Amino acid sequence: MIEYYSVLVKPQLEDCPILVTNMAERRLLVLFGSQTGTAQDTAERIGREAKRRHFRCRVEALDSYLVAQLIQELLVVFVCATTGQGDPPDNMKNFWRFIFRKNLPPASLCQMDYAVLGLGDSSYPKFNFVAKKLHKRLQQLGASPILPVALGDDQHDLGLDAVVDPWLLDLWGRILPLYPLPPGLGIIGPDVLLPSKFTLHFLEEHSSGCDGGQSRQEAARQAPSELRPFAAQMVSNQRVTAESHFQDVRLIEFDVTGSGIEYRAGDVLMVQPRNAPEDVQQFCQLLRLDPERCFVLKPSEPGTPLPAHLPQPCTIQHLVACYLDISCVPRRSFFELLSWFSPNELEREKLQEFSSAQGQEELCSYCSRPRRTTLEVLCDFPHTACAVPVDYLLDIIPRIQPRAFSIASSMLALPNRLQILLAVVQYKTRLSKPRRGLCSTWLASLNPQQGDVRVPLWVKRGGMKFPAEPDTPIIMIGPGTGVAPFRAAIQERVAHGRKENYLFFGCRQKSKDFYCGAEWQELVKSGHLTLFTAFSRDQEEKIYVQHRIRENKGLVWDLLSRGNAHIYLAGNAKQMPAAVAEALKSMLQLEGDLSPSEAEEYLTALERSHRFQMETWS
């Protein structure tokens, strides 16, 4: 089997003279907080541009970096996404807690020059909140900004690059006068291919000796985590929407006996998905890879950490099935690197156009809008696909990101079991083949009746915290699958005998997508739940949860003002949260006799005191 493929003859980085004098002083640290991989991709791009300018550059996730060493850094670039309602991504939460500790000295970072690039979406109310707050905090700690904080907006016609491209030009324009190039060296031009981050050293033994990991018993002795997920048995996979309903929603149950997993209402299940077998097979055929080949991964530069999620040694089959995200929509950097290896002139010109600043509108039309996958792009560029050197696979294609699901059950009601409410993602674009969510499609396809089905998973603490005081009423607003965390909370509270539970639930039709409807009705009969439903398509005029809040404004105000109630909102992040917030402000004005500005401040005060909590997703 061929391991390396012919590429266009172009100068390599090792052909360029590099002086090592004064390189120790020319250090750049790029730290990223990334939820979906976009911030990481941008951070890697900055790292490549730094290497072209002869910087010693490290690119790390914020929580992988030893934050106590920050006081020794002279030049740092932060690339930060904002998630949910202004929250930091999962891989920077520890850093976030540390950097805002009140006992940090005001001048602790006085030697640092820094820049912050935020990546956000202006359709969310707290647009780029993390980047703005981090920029301000670094200044409080004495660090000197090289540039004002940059705020990338995914809603822009050209996407995030509309801000990132000019910002990077400004960044290097400010950095190079501070850290001039060593004498005799120029910027390594775009006609030079940088070396791959890793090399794959193939072994002679058969794949049966590869992909070894911990046994289930060994893994069970450690708390499950992203690096050590627990292979939980799926025990049921039940569709809870009518067969005639347009959306397939599943109530899936896992057995977590022996895992050490403990969870409470509001916590989140993390699942590590894998690619479909037919996609893995097609990818290997396109790139002429032998899935049985076994390799050891080695860094090209000393000090570069190996991917923590890949076993050593590993097979090509495992790499493609469990690590490379061949179903994601590729980013601009994918086309830029792919163009290097194309032996076909027409394909190469198109790839170069897609990776240029001028070609971003066409790239958006070809790739982003129709949600074309990496595998589909490779099929469109077959001459290039079969010429990609295997060493560059991890540079070109990102890792499959874990997916998060609100836990929809309580351990008090179901010991050693864990349930999620999963909407199978499927939608149409102008492409003939329907678009499918990687994780939801994979989970929905698993049938525990046909054998032992195992899913790698772990639990993380969620953002929602429910009151410990037994008499505190809770008002839960959860349309659609947003009801999942509230099912967990209600089960937990019922187990403790608490009855002040008020649920506003919305869906399309009572007969088709009234999730857990029979369960709610039983709780209403037993006096443990007060339920308000909004079936938007069961009458001529559409009715949503915000309408039910307005209709019951007297009760909501009474619970808030007299009962010290907590309000919780979960569901789709687009229009619903704003509509619910408007309904709550209207209630405050009409029942609380507050002015519009006072109602706004009241709601903000509820948020600050954690009496109004939201968990939303797009």
Side-chain angles (χ1 to χ4, degrees):
M1 176 60 67
I2 298 173
E3 295 173 7
Y4 294 87
Y5 314 105
S6 59
V7 297
L8 297 173
V9 178
K10 293 197 176 187
Q12 304 287 307
L13 184 60
E14 49 265 35
D15 299 329
C16 301
I18 296 181
L19 300 180
V20 295
T21 54
N22 296 324
M23 290 296 279
E25 288 76 25
R26 302 186 81 254
R27 296 194 330 264
L28 172 63
L29 176 63
V30 184
L31 296 173
F32 63 86
S34 185
Q35 193 71 16
T36 62
T38 304
Q40 179 175 356
D41 181 72
T42 304
E44 298 282 2
R45 175 184 173 185
I46 296 169
R48 290 192 296 272
E49 293 194 9
K51 288 181 181 179
R52 293 188 180 278
R53 289 157 178 81
H54 303 278
F55 279 90
R56 284 176 52 201
C57 183
R58 289 163 56 206
V59 180
E60 287 192 48
L62 277 152
D63 280 358
S64 299
Y65 175 75
L66 192 58
V67 67
Q69 294 180 352
L70 206 58
I71 59 171
Q72 300 167 16
E73 302 291 349
L74 301 178
L75 183 59
V76 186
V77 174
F78 298 86
V79 185
C80 303
T82 296
T83 68
Q85 301 298 313
D87 301 317
D90 290 340
N91 63 3
M92 72 174 286
K93 286 189 186 274
N94 292 334
F95 168 86
W96 194 250
R97 283 190 289 267
F98 180 91
I99 204 73
F100 284 98
R101 280 165 52 172
K102 293 180 180 178
N103 61 348
L104 295 180
S108 52
L109 298 181
C110 61
Q111 84 298 338
M112 180 199 293
D113 292 323
Y114 77 94
V116 175
L117 170 61
L119 304 181
D121 185 324
S122 59
S123 67
Y124 285 75
K126 294 192 175 179
F127 172 57
N128 267 314
F129 178 78
V130 169
K132 294 172 186 173
K133 194 168 181 181
L134 176 61
H135 178 69
K136 185 176 180 181
R137 180 58 174 161
L138 292 170
Q139 283 183 293
Q140 290 172 348
L141 296 174
S144 302
I146 299 170
L147 289 168
V149 59
L151 306 176
D153 185 5
D154 205 34
Q155 289 295 313
H156 193 282
D157 289 342
L158 298 180
L160 298 165
D161 285 336
V163 166
V164 174
D165 285 355
W167 181 81
L168 277 174
L169 288 175
D170 288 347
L171 179 72
W172 297 120
R174 300 288 183 91
I175 287 178
L176 285 178
L178 296 172
Y179 299 87
L181 288 162
L185 285 183
I187 297 172
I188 299 169
D191 58 334
V192 176
L193 175 63
L194 296 171
S196 63
K197 200 185 302 182
F198 305 103
T199 55
L200 278 68
H201 294 258
F202 285 94
L203 307 176
E204 292 304 317
E205 62 254 36
H206 191 263
S207 63
S208 59
C210 289
D211 304 340
Q214 300 166 308
S215 69
R216 203 167 289 143
Q217 290 76 20
E218 289 173 326
R221 286 196 287 269
Q222 299 172 314
S225 66
E226 185 171 358
L227 293 178
R228 293 182 298 273
F230 177 72
Q233 182 181 19
M234 181 187 286
V235 294
S236 68
N237 186 348
Q238 174 192 1
R239 178 168 176 146
V240 292
T241 46
E243 289 295 331
S244 60
H245 191 56
F246 78 100
Q247 190 169 43
D248 181 359
V249 177
R250 304 296 180 101
L251 183 65
I252 298 178
E253 183 172 320
F254 301 99
D255 186 346
V256 293
T257 302
S259 66
I261 285 176
E262 294 183 359
Y263 64 90
R264 62 190 179 209
D267 285 349
V268 175
L269 179 72
M270 304 299 296
V271 174
Q272 186 62 54
R274 58 187 56 183
N275 292 308
E278 59 271 21
D279 290 347
V280 173
Q281 182 181 14
Q282 186 180 15
F283 180 87
C284 289
Q285 289 172 347
L286 268 175
L287 274 71
R288 299 179 184 175
L289 298 169
D290 179 357
E292 300 301 315
R293 291 300 302 275
C294 194
F295 66 88
V296 171
L297 204 63
K298 295 187 178 178
S300 298
E301 292 183 6
T304 302
L306 291 171
H309 306 86
L310 270 183
Q312 289 271 61
C314 181
T315 60
I316 291 293
Q317 170 74 26
H318 184 88
L319 174 70
V320 180
C322 303
Y323 190 87
L324 298 179
D325 196 353
I326 60 176
S327 72
C328 71
V329 178
R331 300 180 174 93
R332 177 176 167 184
S333 60
F334 169 85
F335 295 91
E336 181 182 351
L337 199 46
L338 205 60
S339 68
W340 276 95
F341 310 119
S342 182
N344 180 278
E345 185 177 354
L346 286 175
E347 289 187 10
R348 184 169 65 253
E349 286 178 357
K350 198 65 183 174
L351 290 166
Q352 289 171 341
E353 180 185 353
F354 283 155
S355 62
S356 69
Q358 297 75 26
Q360 290 313 288
E361 178 55 41
E362 189 163 350
L363 175 60
C364 186
S365 178
Y366 165 72
C367 205
S368 302
R369 289 194 190 102
R371 310 300 293 170
R372 199 181 301 267
T373 70
T374 293
L375 180 58
E376 288 170 331
V377 171
L378 290 169
C379 290
D380 287 348
F381 294 84
H383 299 93
T384 306
C386 66
V388 175
V390 69
D391 282 349
Y392 279 89
L393 284 178
L394 277 79
D395 293 80
I396 293 174
I397 303 175
R399 178 177 80 90
I400 299 173
Q401 296 292 324
R403 286 0 186 223
F405 301 93
S406 295
I407 297 175
S409 59
S410 166
M411 295 194 85
L412 297 178
L414 293 170
N416 295 316
R417 297 295 174 95
L418 188 155
Q419 294 179 337
I420 59 171
L421 198 59
L422 167 83
V424 182
V425 177
Q426 180 177 329
Y427 56 94
K428 293 283 289 183
T429 67
R430 62 179 174 80
L431 300 179
S432 58
K433 187 178 179 181
R435 306 293 89 189
R436 298 180 185 274
L438 173 63
C439 189
S440 62
T441 302
W442 174 59
L443 287 176
S445 72
L446 301 176
N447 187 348
Q449 271 70 55
Q450 293 181 351
D452 186 18
V453 175
R454 300 277 170 172
V455 173
L457 53 78
W458 63 99
V459 168
K460 69 169 190 176
R461 290 283 169 251
M464 279 191 178
K465 301 292 187 295
F466 292 92
E469 299 79 11
D471 297 329
T472 303
I474 61 171
I475 302 167
M476 297 159 284
I477 307 159
T481 54
V483 79
F486 304 141
R487 183 172 182 261
I490 291 166
Q491 287 184 356
E492 202 166 273
R493 286 170 63 88
V494 168
H496 286 299
R498 299 171 187 173
K499 293 191 174 184
E500 290 270 41
N501 306 308
Y502 300 84
L503 174 64
F504 289 84
F505 173 77
C507 64
R508 289 194 168 210
Q509 293 168 296
K510 182 178 182 180
S511 61
K512 293 188 176 181
D513 56 339
F514 186 16
Y515 311 137
C516 312
E519 187 177 325
W520 303 138
Q521 298 297 351
E522 285 300 316
L523 291 171
V524 169
K525 287 179 186 176
S526 66
H528 288 96
L529 179 66
T530 302
L531 177 66
F532 304 96
T533 54
F535 305 117
S536 63
R537 305 300 197 275
D538 276 354
Q539 60 285 311
E540 190 173 334
E541 186 180 347
K542 291 178 183 175
I543 297 176
Y544 299 110
V545 286
Q546 58 265 28
H547 298 120
R548 297 302 188 212
I549 292 169
R550 290 175 189 269
E551 288 171 11
N552 294 277
K553 58 185 181 297
L555 171 65
V556 175
W557 170 249
D558 191 59
L559 291 170
L560 277 176
S561 59
R562 296 186 188 180
N564 199 36
H566 290 220
I567 303 179
Y568 298 87
L569 169 67
N572 191 285
K574 290 299 178 184
Q575 288 92 22
M576 186 272 295
V580 168
E582 283 304 312
L584 290 172
K585 283 185 274 190
S586 172
M587 172 272 300
L588 292 169
Q589 292 174 57
L590 293 170
E591 296 295 322
D593 199 24
L594 303 180
S595 69
S597 61
E598 287 171 335
E600 183 90 42
E601 177 52 38
Y602 190 102
L603 209 57
T604 302
L606 288 178
E607 281 192 75
R608 279 198 298 262
S609 62
H610 304 293
R611 285 182 59 201
F612 181 28
Q613 300 177 39
M614 288 186 282
E615 183 178 276
T616 59
W617 53 85
S618 55

